[in-house]
């Protein structure tokens, strides 16, 4: 089944819950980036949360998440939009650490010192910029802190990726729980209790749980209603034309140097690894546009 997100309200409409399955999406990222297992988990968790944050937007709005910790994985970048399209990459894909129990040590890969930066393009005059410090490096806790600190919305974020011995992704998914106006302390305590009882989100997805099933597990015996469903997919819209525009933006001096020294140029998309070649004649044409 294709990956998708559901949006729901529970506990008398005082709690908002988003839940998703993202196995195909994260697996596509692994195929593009050739990441080692821990790097796959770190990128996958960010893709999962990014896709759900993107689903909170409208129209042509989009969001960029950049996580820069002091771990060896370096920068994690994820773009998402309101149409369910998400893409991402890590600076160093060849990172793999495990705890003694065999679980992937994402915190060691990401690092426990650094920041999460969120940039929202709401199609207004200015972009929305926000950043919070990394508090654990496991990312679920870090995004929980982001929503509470930056968006003043008490939240709980769960995200998980299950990587197989052949490095492929067999299960990935997540949830975002947000406290809405009118929620009581009793309701919040019930949710905390429920979260302590349920399996990890990657285990639920591996066992065949749908996003609706994840919502049901979070709510236990409490009522909820599904408001919306949206497909998500790893999508990159890079093109030779976009890279040509990037070369033009280098300016005539830099383009002249490339033509004189190399006579050609090859660019590669960070997100999908597609390559675009520009021969001498194409570069000269771009130079003329830069001069104009």
């Amino acid at each position: 089944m294709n990956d998708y997100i559901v949006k729901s309200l529970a506990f008398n409409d005082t709690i908002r819950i988003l839940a998703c399955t993202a196995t195909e999406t994260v697996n596509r990222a692994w195929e593009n980036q050739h990441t080692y297992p821990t790097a796959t988990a770190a990128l996958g968790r960010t893709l999962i949360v990014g896709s759900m944050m993107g689903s909170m937007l409208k129209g042509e709005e989009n969001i960029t998440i950049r996580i820069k910790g002091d771990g060896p994985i370096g920068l994690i970048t994820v773009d998402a939009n309101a149409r369910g399209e998400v893409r991402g990459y890590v600076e160093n894909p060849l990172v793999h650490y495990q705890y003694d129990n065999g679980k992937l040590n994402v915190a060691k890969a990401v690092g426990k010192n650094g920041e999460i930066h969120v940039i929202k393009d709401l199609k207004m005059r200015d972009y929305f910029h926000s950043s919070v410090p990394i508090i654990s490096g496991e990312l679920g806790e870090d995004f929980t802190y982001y929503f509470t600190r930056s968006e003043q919305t008490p939240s709980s974020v769960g995200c998980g990726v299950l990587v197989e011995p052949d490095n492929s992704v067999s299960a990935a998914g997540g949830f975002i729980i947000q406290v809405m106006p009118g929620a009581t302390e009793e309701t919040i305590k019930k949710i905390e209790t429920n979260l302590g009882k349920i399996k990890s989100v990657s285990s639920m997805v591996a066992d065949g749980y749908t996003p609706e099933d994840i919502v049901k597990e979070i709510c236990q015996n409490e009522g909820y209603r599904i408001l919306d469903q949206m497909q998500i997919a790893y999508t990159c819209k890079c093109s030779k034309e976009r890279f040509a525009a990037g070369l033009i933006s280098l300016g005539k001096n830099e383009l002249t140097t490339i033509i004189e020294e190399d006579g050609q140029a090859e660019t590669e998309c960070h997100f999908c690894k597609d390559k675009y070649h520009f021969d001498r004649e194409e570069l000269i044409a771009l130079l003329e546009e830069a001069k104009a």
Side-chain angles (χ1 to χ4, degrees), residues 92-114:
N92 180 12
L94 307 182
V95 175
H96 180 54
Y97 296 111
Q98 289 179 290
Y99 291 106
D100 292 339
N101 61 7
K103 291 186 177 181
L104 300 177
N105 189 343
V106 173
K108 187 174 181 178
V110 173
K112 297 183 180 180
N113 298 294

Side-chain angles (χ1 to χ4, degrees), residues 29 46 135 140 146 168 217 262:
T46 312
I135 61 170
Y146 164 79
S168 65
E217 282 293 296
D262 301 316

Side-chain angles (χ1 to χ4, degrees), residues 132-144:
V132 297
I134 293 171
I135 61 170
S136 77
E138 289 290 347
L139 300 182
E141 295 174 46
D142 300 293
F143 280 109
T144 295

Side-chain angles (χ1 to χ4, degrees), residues 63-96:
I63 186 171
T64 297
I65 300 170
R66 294 193 177 106
I67 301 173
K68 181 61 174 175
D70 60 354
I73 201 171
L75 179 67
I76 305 172
T77 301
V78 164
D79 291 339
N81 61 33
R83 299 185 298 277
E85 298 169 338
V86 63
R87 62 180 186 169
Y89 69 92
V90 296
E91 189 173 11
N92 180 12
L94 307 182
V95 175
H96 180 54

